[in-house]
Amino acid sequence: MANQVRVQEVLLRALEDLNADELKRFQWHLVQGVLDGYPPLPKAKLEGVSVQETVNQLMQVYDDKDAMRVAEITLKRMNQNQLARILTEALVKGFIQHRVELNKGDDILP
């Protein structure tokens, strides 16, 4: 559960940098399906919802790593490469798990 909270925080911080139109595009990609073999998010669950609810929906459908991966790929498709890089680095470095295990600080982005 603690790991899930951290993943949610990383996703939230990254997606908060999107403006309203970019968030709608992000949600559109999620409804279309991002990865083969992974279910798309239901359109009704994403229509007109906030960044926080978008993250909640990601976490309900996917496990931690898959939610991060889906978000990363979606951001790349939107040419939001800086935000995608933040998520990639968090996964590659095991930053999220490392922070949870050590219980250090609130700064969760590399």
Side-chain angles (χ1 to χ4, degrees):
M1 181 70 169
N3 191 25
Q4 186 175 24
V5 171
R6 293 296 186 188
V7 169
Q8 287 175 323
E9 290 173 6
V10 170
L11 288 170
L12 181 63
R13 287 193 182 181
L15 297 182
E16 284 177 333
D17 283 345
L18 300 176
N19 66 35
D21 288 335
E22 291 166 338
L23 178 60
K24 286 179 187 175
R25 277 186 35 228
F26 183 85
Q27 293 166 336
W28 179 84
H29 282 285
L30 296 178
V31 169
Q32 301 307 308
V34 177
L35 293 172
D36 289 338
Y38 294 87
L41 273 66
K43 184 177 184 178
K45 299 277 187 172
L46 292 177
E47 285 184 350
V49 301
S50 66
V51 172
Q52 293 88 348
E53 186 56 29
T54 300
V55 171
N56 288 340
Q57 291 301 318
L58 275 167
M59 299 307 298
Q60 286 181 11
V61 173
Y62 307 113
D63 67 21
D64 292 350
K65 283 186 178 182
D66 291 339
M68 293 283 282
R69 188 157 185 246
V70 164
E72 173 200 355
I73 290 168
T74 302
L75 290 168
K76 284 181 180 178
R77 288 182 181 170
M78 296 172 55
N79 293 321
Q80 293 287 336
N81 296 320
Q82 178 68 24
L83 295 177
R85 191 174 312 121
I86 289 169
L87 297 180
T88 301
E89 289 174 2
L91 282 174
V92 170
K93 293 178 181 178
F95 187 79
I96 297 166
Q97 186 64 36
H98 181 69
R99 282 289 188 198
V100 170
E101 288 173 358
L102 297 179
N103 284 329
K104 289 186 178 178
D106 292 327
D107 183 21
I108 59 170
L109 293 179

